[in-house]
């Protein structure tokens, strides 16, 4: 019998996970049916549990219009709207360093469309860099199951090129040239802290 | 004629603000009708504008149950519930340092009730401290208009005393002994970054 978490994900006992570690590079995303967000959340839970880093996804910003109070202790939101986030989705701390990033995926094989980012997110990233925070994006090419970490400083260049009338995406070759390929593991799934430690030596 | 922002707050031209800076310590909260959260949000906007720090309040976490899509481009949340936050409300970066805090107020004059905090928030603060982040609380005694910054390390002591069966609040004298009084200003209103720079020398 296979067990599932309330969110529908399959439960895998820890001793099975351990045995499978050596073939971790062959995990198929399509088979697992995991999104990039799922994988990053599980990675962050692993970091938290192991005392490696404290990184959380920010809640989705909501504009609440109408709330019902059927009883003193409960509140039901009856009307609300999604707001555009003014920052990136993930932030936190590792070894005293401020960590801030956004994660996006594409089905393109040849380039990463810049419309995945909003202008105020780029503005936020620039401000984080000014404050000497570590700012980056995690980009996943979902069909090829390749994940890259790109420091925001590079992203700003591609963004400015688009604003100046240039291409609206980052070429795969450009990402391969400046980005850091993260190999997919099981525990943690996307070990971006390891990549950051190599880049920033902390 | 007095102008007001959409949220009902009075609009004050910048040149008036500048003139009033020298009497900034006499501002009455009751007259302004501002909450601690309003003041901290305005302080954070000031820090962001002036390039001093990038600190944001996290959105309220919501469990969304039912969403209506009346058209392709719009979504109305029809049923949702408030979730208990698993972290503190505010975090961000200043001069490369990770900053993380919670802000609470009380109408008591003699002590600060610890039920203002949840256990998982204390757990979060402990994890931030383990990662060498700067973790603290801003406590406001609203009747006396006094605001203190308390480093989380001190809060843990009072929390553990409560868990061990001791008092369920922090005495005002204890707060005065270990806390840092923040004088209320106009621009920024609650200059906690200045206090942090004095404590941590960054």
């Amino acid at each position: 019998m296979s067990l599932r978490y309330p969110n529908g994900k399959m439960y895998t006992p820890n001793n099975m996970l351990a045995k499978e570690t050596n073939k971790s590079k062959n995990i198929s995303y399509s088979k697992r049916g995991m999104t990039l967000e799922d994988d990053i959340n599980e990675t962050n839970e692993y970091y938290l549990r192991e005392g490696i880093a404290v990184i959380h996804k920010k809640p989705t910003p909501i504009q609440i219009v109408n709330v019902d109070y059927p009883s003193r202790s409960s509140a039901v939101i009856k009307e609300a709207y999604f707001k555009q986030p003014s920052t990136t989705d993930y932030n936190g701390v590792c070894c005293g360093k401020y960590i801030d990033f956004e994660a996006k995926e594409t089905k393109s094989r040849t380039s990463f469309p810049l419309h995945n980012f909003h202008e105020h997110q780029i503005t936020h990233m620039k401000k984080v860099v000014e404050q000497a925070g570590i700012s980056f994006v995690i980009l996943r090419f979902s069909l090829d199951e390749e994940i890259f970490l790109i420091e925001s400083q590079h992203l700003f260049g591609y963004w400015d090129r688009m604003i100046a009338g240039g291409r609206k995406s980052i070429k795969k070759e450009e990402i391969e040239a400046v980005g850091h390929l993260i190999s997919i593991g099981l525990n943690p799934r996307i070990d971006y802290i390891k990549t950051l430690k190599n880049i920033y030596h902390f």
Side-chain angles (χ1 to χ4, degrees), chain A residues 119-131:
Chain A
E119 194 177 354
H120 48 257
Q121 287 183 320
I122 304 289
T123 306
H124 170 74
M125 291 176 196
K126 286 182 177 170
K127 286 188 175 282
V128 168
V129 170
E130 280 170 25
Q131 284 301 325

Side-chain angles (χ1 to χ4, degrees), chain A residues 42-123:
Chain A
E42 292 205 9
T43 299
N44 290 342
E45 282 164 28
Y46 172 85
Y47 288 154
L48 196 65
R49 210 165 48 234
E50 299 293 321
I52 293 166
V54 181
I55 319 267
H56 288 276
K57 184 175 190 293
K58 292 190 182 180
T60 308
I62 304 283
Q63 176 74 50
I64 296 167
V65 174
N66 186 13
V67 182
D68 236 32
Y69 295 92
S71 76
R72 231 181 119 175
S73 61
S74 70
V76 189
I77 299 161
K78 288 297 207 182
E79 186 186 355
Y81 299 88
F82 294 101
K83 286 201 294 188
Q84 228 183 34
S86 55
T87 67
T88 43
D89 270 359
Y90 302 88
N91 77 353
V93 59
C94 177
C95 309
K97 304 283 179 192
Y98 177 75
I99 310 281
D100 189 296
F101 67 100
E102 187 67 29
K104 296 287 183 192
E105 46 195 330
T106 184
K107 286 189 173 161
S108 164
R109 282 202 151 98
T110 55
S111 68
F112 206 95
L114 284 162
H115 66 68
N116 276 294
F117 302 99
H118 304 296
E119 194 177 354
H120 48 257
Q121 287 183 320
I122 304 289
T123 306

Side-chain angles (χ1 to χ4, degrees), chain A residues 152-201:
Chain A
S152 293
Q153 289 85 338
H154 295 295
L155 182 66
F156 302 157
Y158 304 125
W159 186 265
D160 293 344
R161 178 175 69 184
M162 178 183 70
I163 300 297
R167 52 180 300 138
K168 292 186 173 63
S169 65
I170 318 171
K171 280 189 220 171
K172 179 80 181 285
E173 303 90 87
E174 290 172 327
I175 290 171
E176 285 166 342
V178 304
H180 306 265
L181 188 65
I182 305 180
S183 53
I184 300 159
L186 256 174
N187 220 356
R189 301 201 184 228
I190 301 173
D191 197 355
Y192 60 88
I193 290 285
K194 185 178 158 195
T195 305
L196 292 177
K197 286 190 173 182
N198 282 332
I199 302 173
Y200 296 99
H201 310 291

